[in-house]
Amino acid sequence: MISEDWAARAAGLVRDGRLDLFVAVAGSKPVGYAAVTYDVGTWNAATYAHLDCLYVVGDYRGVGTGRRLFGAVVQHSRDLGHSELQWQTPAWNDGAIRFYRRLSPAEQAKQRFTLDLDRQ
């Protein structure tokens, strides 16, 4: 279940134009979602869209749900004037890696770091 605090924070980010959410629905049941944020690349001084998360419920994988969500993110990002969409997935997530490779993106090896600022 989504907490009220999370929902309020997410709604604020959507209002501020920092987050867009896409939800796939079958009947009246949510079966997947994608979340995209917007960032700036200092190398080229340009904004880009960042696919923060794409998730599809197990029974709805492999039937085009993820591809349709991804397509909606791509089109929306283009409509906003972004020329690039970036994303990442954990190295252990073989299913996601296969899915993304079928989309023919350019792959970039990176090491991701996270610093918990509340504990520093």
Side-chain angles (χ1 to χ4, degrees):
M1 218 59 207
I2 296 176
S3 72
E4 288 181 34
D5 182 52
W6 181 95
R9 287 183 290 143
L13 292 169
V14 170
R15 261 192 318 276
D16 292 345
R18 297 182 61 202
L19 170 70
D20 283 312
L21 300 169
F22 301 81
V23 179
V25 178
S28 61
K29 177 179 148 184
V31 296
Y33 73 94
V36 63
T37 61
Y38 306 99
D39 209 336
V40 176
T42 55
W43 287 106
N44 61 4
T47 60
Y48 65 91
H50 175 256
L51 179 64
D52 182 66
C53 189
L54 189 149
Y55 175 78
V56 175
V57 173
D59 290 347
Y60 292 87
R61 293 178 184 169
V63 296
T65 306
R67 189 171 285 273
R68 285 190 294 279
L69 280 168
F70 189 85
V73 168
V74 167
Q75 187 58 55
H76 184 70
S77 298
R78 281 188 182 130
D79 292 347
L80 291 176
H82 300 287
S83 60
E84 188 171 87
L85 174 64
Q86 296 183 15
W87 68 93
Q88 57 200 8
T89 195
W92 53 260
N93 194 339
D94 295 330
I97 292 167
R98 281 191 307 277
F99 171 79
Y100 291 131
R101 283 185 172 153
R102 284 192 297 267
L103 301 171
S104 301
E107 291 187 43
Q108 297 175 343
K110 290 186 174 185
Q111 182 63 47
R112 182 177 178 155
F113 298 90
T114 302
L115 180 63
D116 186 344
L117 298 177
D118 291 332
R119 294 187 182 184
Q120 283 294 56

